[in-house]
Amino acid sequence: MYAILAQAYQFKAGSCAAEEDDWSKAEFYAKEARMGARVESTVEEQSELTTVPLTKSTTKPHRFALLRFSLYAYGGNDYAPWGRPEQMLVQCPSKELYDLYDEDDIRREVYFKEIDGKVYVTKWQCTNEHDVNDVHILFRFSDLLLIEAEALARQGKDGALDLLNEFKSSKIPGYAGYTGGDVIGEILKERRKEFVYEEQMNWLDMKRTGASVSRKAKDEATDEIKTYTLEGNDYRYTFPLPADYELMYNNVLQNPGWK
């Protein structure tokens, strides 16, 4: 429950329902939920988090999370960010994303693999024993540590930089410490790197911080490659209310932008 509250107050603090004490509550609950537990700090530990055992399993708590459950399953899935890299059935990260990781970052080795000069996603991958690697990690200690660090920084309290350095040192062997001036920005960058392709974590961070993002994709009608941009204030960051229930029975207005 403390972990759920930490996540809820972190998100609420950047919403239209924000209240003055949201960040202090996020700080408190994140710290209480983690209770000083360390985060994964080796390639083997980082890889184990997203590797499914040969049977269904629930680990509560997991040594690096409060809950992890996994499902051994069959069935090919060529469009999702998993697959056998040697068969090229995986997604490729953007260069901008891949370049965020330090060369020595343990996540770079676990999350990606370079074959013939091209980088593929291997964070969720099939193995010789699995056709589908389906694992869900809830309330990771990495998340709780970074929530506490961000909460401290948002309140102008001491300790945010120490937690950021603790986290980065666990991911980058020999890390000397962050010397930049944007601690909050660096925390958000670490969240993007740590939780990439995972449980919509980055999407929620984008929503609460009002991030603008551009992506290239093929136009279905013309096959032309176009750049699509989602601005930080775009109405599509908010889902439409169901017209056949909420609007009909509760006499509320539709969210702005939706018809």
Side-chain angles (χ1 to χ4, degrees), residues 155-195:
Q155 298 173 89
K157 291 183 177 180
D158 294 335
L161 180 59
D162 291 338
L163 286 176
L164 173 62
N165 284 332
E166 177 184 339
F167 180 81
K168 290 178 73 72
S169 295
S170 72
K171 306 299 177 180
I172 306 171
Y175 182 71
Y178 179 67
T179 58
D182 185 7
V183 172
I184 292 175
E186 192 69 13
I187 291 169
L188 293 174
K189 185 188 298 183
E190 288 302 321
R191 291 185 60 84
R192 183 182 178 194
K193 291 156 63 178
E194 180 68 17
F195 309 123

Coordinates of all heavy atoms in Angstrom, one line a residue, residues 155-195:
Q155 N 11.0 19.4 -3.6 CA 10.7 20.2 -2.4 C 12.0 21.1 -2.0 O 11.9 21.8 -1.1 CB 10.4 19.3 -1.3 CG 9.1 18.5 -1.4 CD 9.0 17.5 -0.3 OE1 8.4 17.8 0.7 NE2 9.5 16.3 -0.5
G156 N 13.0 21.0 -2.8 CA 14.3 21.7 -2.5 C 15.0 21.2 -1.2 O 15.7 21.9 -0.6
K157 N 14.8 19.9 -0.9 CA 15.4 19.3 0.3 C 16.7 18.7 -0.1 O 17.0 18.4 -1.2 CB 14.5 18.3 0.9 CG 13.2 18.8 1.5 CD 12.4 17.6 2.1 CE 11.2 18.0 2.9 NZ 10.5 16.9 3.5
D158 N 17.6 18.5 1.0 CA 18.8 17.8 0.8 C 18.5 16.3 0.6 O 17.5 15.8 1.1 CB 19.7 18.0 2.0 CG 20.2 19.5 2.2 OD1 20.2 20.2 1.2 OD2 20.5 19.9 3.3
G159 N 19.5 15.7 0.0 CA 19.4 14.2 -0.2 C 19.1 13.7 -1.5 O 19.3 12.5 -1.9
A160 N 18.5 14.6 -2.4 CA 18.2 14.1 -3.7 C 19.4 13.7 -4.5 O 19.4 12.7 -5.2 CB 17.4 15.2 -4.5
L161 N 20.4 14.5 -4.5 CA 21.6 14.2 -5.2 C 22.3 12.9 -4.7 O 22.8 12.1 -5.5 CB 22.6 15.4 -5.1 CG 24.0 15.2 -5.9 CD1 23.7 15.0 -7.4 CD2 24.9 16.4 -5.6
D162 N 22.3 12.7 -3.4 CA 22.8 11.5 -2.8 C 22.1 10.3 -3.3 O 22.8 9.3 -3.7 CB 22.8 11.5 -1.3 CG 23.7 12.6 -0.7 OD1 24.7 13.0 -1.4 OD2 23.4 13.0 0.4
L163 N 20.8 10.3 -3.4 CA 20.0 9.2 -3.9 C 20.3 9.0 -5.4 O 20.4 7.8 -5.9 CB 18.5 9.4 -3.6 CG 18.1 9.2 -2.2 CD1 16.6 9.5 -2.0 CD2 18.4 7.8 -1.7
L164 N 20.3 10.1 -6.1 CA 20.6 9.9 -7.6 C 22.0 9.3 -7.8 O 22.1 8.4 -8.6 CB 20.6 11.3 -8.2 CG 21.0 11.4 -9.7 CD1 20.1 10.6 -10.6 CD2 21.1 12.9 -10.1
N165 N 23.0 9.7 -7.0 CA 24.3 9.1 -7.2 C 24.3 7.6 -6.8 O 25.0 6.8 -7.4 CB 25.3 9.9 -6.4 CG 25.7 11.2 -7.1 OD1 25.6 11.3 -8.3 ND2 26.1 12.2 -6.3
E166 N 23.6 7.3 -5.7 CA 23.5 5.9 -5.3 C 22.9 5.1 -6.4 O 23.4 4.0 -6.7 CB 22.6 5.8 -4.0 CG 22.3 4.4 -3.5 CD 21.4 4.3 -2.4 OE1 21.2 5.4 -1.7 OE2 20.8 3.3 -2.1
F167 N 21.8 5.6 -7.0 CA 21.2 4.9 -8.1 C 22.1 4.7 -9.3 O 22.3 3.6 -9.8 CB 19.9 5.6 -8.5 CG 19.2 4.8 -9.7 CD1 18.4 3.7 -9.4 CD2 19.4 5.3 -11.0 CE1 17.8 3.1 -10.4 CE2 18.7 4.6 -12.0 CZ 17.9 3.5 -11.7
K168 N 22.7 5.8 -9.8 CA 23.6 5.7 -10.9 C 24.8 4.9 -10.7 O 25.3 4.2 -11.6 CB 24.0 7.2 -11.4 CG 22.8 8.0 -12.0 CD 23.2 9.4 -12.3 CE 24.1 9.4 -13.6 NZ 23.3 9.1 -14.8
S169 N 25.3 4.9 -9.5 CA 26.5 4.1 -9.2 C 26.1 2.6 -9.2 O 27.0 1.7 -9.5 CB 27.0 4.4 -7.8 OG 27.5 5.7 -7.7
S170 N 24.9 2.2 -9.0 CA 24.5 0.8 -9.0 C 24.4 0.4 -10.5 O 24.4 -0.8 -10.8 CB 23.1 0.6 -8.3 OG 22.1 1.2 -9.1
K171 N 24.2 1.3 -11.4 CA 24.1 0.9 -12.8 C 25.3 1.1 -13.6 O 25.5 0.5 -14.7 CB 23.0 1.8 -13.5 CG 21.6 1.8 -12.7 CD 21.1 0.4 -12.7 CE 19.8 0.3 -11.9 NZ 19.2 -1.0 -11.8
I172 N 26.2 2.0 -13.2 CA 27.4 2.3 -13.9 C 28.6 2.1 -13.0 O 28.9 2.9 -12.1 CB 27.4 3.8 -14.4 CG1 26.1 4.1 -15.2 CG2 28.7 4.1 -15.3 CD1 26.0 5.6 -15.5
P173 N 29.3 1.0 -13.2 CA 30.5 0.7 -12.4 C 31.5 1.8 -12.4 O 31.9 2.4 -13.4 CB 31.1 -0.6 -13.0 CG 29.9 -1.2 -13.7 CD 29.1 -0.1 -14.2
G174 N 31.9 2.2 -11.2 CA 32.9 3.3 -11.1 C 32.4 4.7 -11.3 O 33.2 5.6 -11.5
Y175 N 31.1 4.9 -11.3 CA 30.5 6.2 -11.5 C 31.0 7.2 -10.5 O 31.0 6.9 -9.3 CB 29.0 6.1 -11.5 CG 28.3 7.4 -11.7 CD1 28.2 7.9 -13.0 CD2 27.6 8.1 -10.7 CE1 27.6 9.1 -13.3 CE2 27.0 9.3 -11.0 CZ 27.0 9.8 -12.3 OH 26.3 11.0 -12.5
A176 N 31.4 8.3 -11.0 CA 32.1 9.3 -10.1 C 31.1 10.3 -9.5 O 31.5 11.0 -8.6 CB 33.1 10.1 -10.9
G177 N 29.9 10.4 -9.9 CA 28.9 11.3 -9.3 C 28.4 12.3 -10.3 O 29.2 12.8 -11.2
Y178 N 27.2 12.7 -10.2 CA 26.6 13.7 -11.1 C 27.1 15.1 -10.7 O 27.0 15.5 -9.6 CB 25.1 13.6 -11.0 CG 24.3 14.6 -11.9 CD1 24.4 14.5 -13.2 CD2 23.6 15.6 -11.3 CE1 23.7 15.4 -14.1 CE2 22.9 16.6 -12.1 CZ 23.0 16.4 -13.5 OH 22.3 17.3 -14.3
T179 N 27.6 15.8 -11.7 CA 28.1 17.1 -11.5 C 27.3 18.2 -12.2 O 27.7 19.4 -12.2 CB 29.6 17.2 -12.0 OG1 29.6 16.9 -13.4 CG2 30.4 16.3 -11.2
G180 N 26.2 17.8 -12.9 CA 25.4 18.8 -13.6 C 24.5 19.6 -12.7 O 24.5 19.4 -11.5
G181 N 23.7 20.5 -13.2 CA 22.9 21.4 -12.4 C 21.4 21.1 -12.5 O 20.6 21.7 -11.8
D182 N 21.0 20.0 -13.2 CA 19.6 19.7 -13.3 C 19.3 18.3 -12.7 O 19.2 17.3 -13.4 CB 19.2 19.7 -14.8 CG 17.7 19.5 -15.0 OD1 17.0 19.4 -14.0 OD2 17.3 19.3 -16.2
V183 N 19.2 18.3 -11.4 CA 19.1 17.0 -10.7 C 17.7 16.4 -11.1 O 17.7 15.2 -11.3 CB 19.2 17.2 -9.2 CG1 18.8 15.9 -8.4 CG2 20.6 17.6 -8.8
I184 N 16.7 17.2 -11.2 CA 15.3 16.6 -11.5 C 15.4 16.0 -12.9 O 14.9 14.9 -13.2 CB 14.2 17.7 -11.4 CG1 14.1 18.1 -9.9 CG2 12.9 17.2 -12.0 CD1 13.1 19.2 -9.7
G185 N 16.0 16.8 -13.8 CA 16.1 16.3 -15.2 C 16.9 15.0 -15.3 O 16.5 14.1 -16.1
E186 N 17.9 14.9 -14.5 CA 18.7 13.6 -14.5 C 17.9 12.5 -13.9 O 18.1 11.3 -14.4 CB 20.0 13.9 -13.7 CG 21.1 12.8 -13.9 CD 21.7 12.8 -15.3 OE1 21.5 13.7 -16.1 OE2 22.3 11.8 -15.6
I187 N 17.1 12.7 -12.9 CA 16.3 11.7 -12.3 C 15.3 11.2 -13.3 O 15.1 10.0 -13.5 CB 15.6 12.2 -11.0 CG1 16.6 12.5 -9.9 CG2 14.5 11.2 -10.6 CD1 16.0 13.2 -8.7
L188 N 14.7 12.1 -14.0 CA 13.7 11.7 -15.0 C 14.4 10.9 -16.2 O 13.8 10.0 -16.7 CB 13.0 12.9 -15.6 CG 12.1 13.7 -14.6 CD1 11.5 15.0 -15.3 CD2 10.9 12.8 -14.2
K189 N 15.6 11.3 -16.5 CA 16.3 10.6 -17.5 C 16.6 9.2 -17.1 O 16.5 8.2 -17.8 CB 17.6 11.3 -17.9 CG 18.4 10.7 -19.0 CD 19.8 11.3 -19.2 CE 19.7 12.8 -19.5 NZ 21.0 13.4 -19.8
E190 N 17.0 9.0 -15.8 CA 17.2 7.7 -15.3 C 16.0 6.8 -15.2 O 16.0 5.6 -15.5 CB 17.9 7.8 -13.9 CG 19.3 8.2 -13.9 CD 20.2 7.3 -14.7 OE1 20.0 6.1 -14.7 OE2 21.1 7.9 -15.4
R191 N 14.8 7.5 -15.0 CA 13.6 6.7 -15.0 C 13.3 6.2 -16.4 O 12.9 5.1 -16.6 CB 12.4 7.6 -14.5 CG 12.5 8.0 -13.1 CD 11.2 8.8 -12.6 NE 10.0 8.0 -12.9 CZ 9.5 7.1 -12.0 NH1 10.1 6.9 -10.9 NH2 8.4 6.5 -12.3
R192 N 13.6 7.0 -17.4 CA 13.3 6.6 -18.8 C 14.2 5.4 -19.1 O 13.8 4.5 -19.8 CB 13.6 7.8 -19.7 CG 13.3 7.4 -21.2 CD 13.6 8.5 -22.1 NE 13.4 8.1 -23.5 CZ 13.8 8.8 -24.6 NH1 14.4 10.0 -24.4 NH2 13.5 8.4 -25.8
K193 N 15.5 5.5 -18.7 CA 16.5 4.5 -19.0 C 16.2 3.2 -18.3 O 16.3 2.1 -18.8 CB 17.9 4.9 -18.7 CG 18.4 6.0 -19.6 CD 19.5 6.9 -18.9 CE 20.7 6.1 -18.6 NZ 21.8 6.9 -18.0
E194 N 15.8 3.3 -17.0 CA 15.5 2.1 -16.2 C 14.3 1.3 -16.6 O 14.3 0.1 -16.7 CB 15.5 2.5 -14.7 CG 15.2 1.3 -13.8 CD 16.4 0.4 -13.7 OE1 17.5 0.7 -14.1 OE2 16.2 -0.8 -13.2
F195 N 13.2 2.1 -16.9 CA 11.9 1.5 -17.1 C 11.5 1.4 -18.5 O 10.3 1.2 -18.8 CB 10.8 2.2 -16.2 CG 11.2 2.4 -14.8 CD1 11.3 3.6 -14.2 CD2 11.5 1.3 -14.0 CE1 11.6 3.8 -12.9 CE2 11.9 1.4 -12.7 CZ 12.0 2.7 -12.1

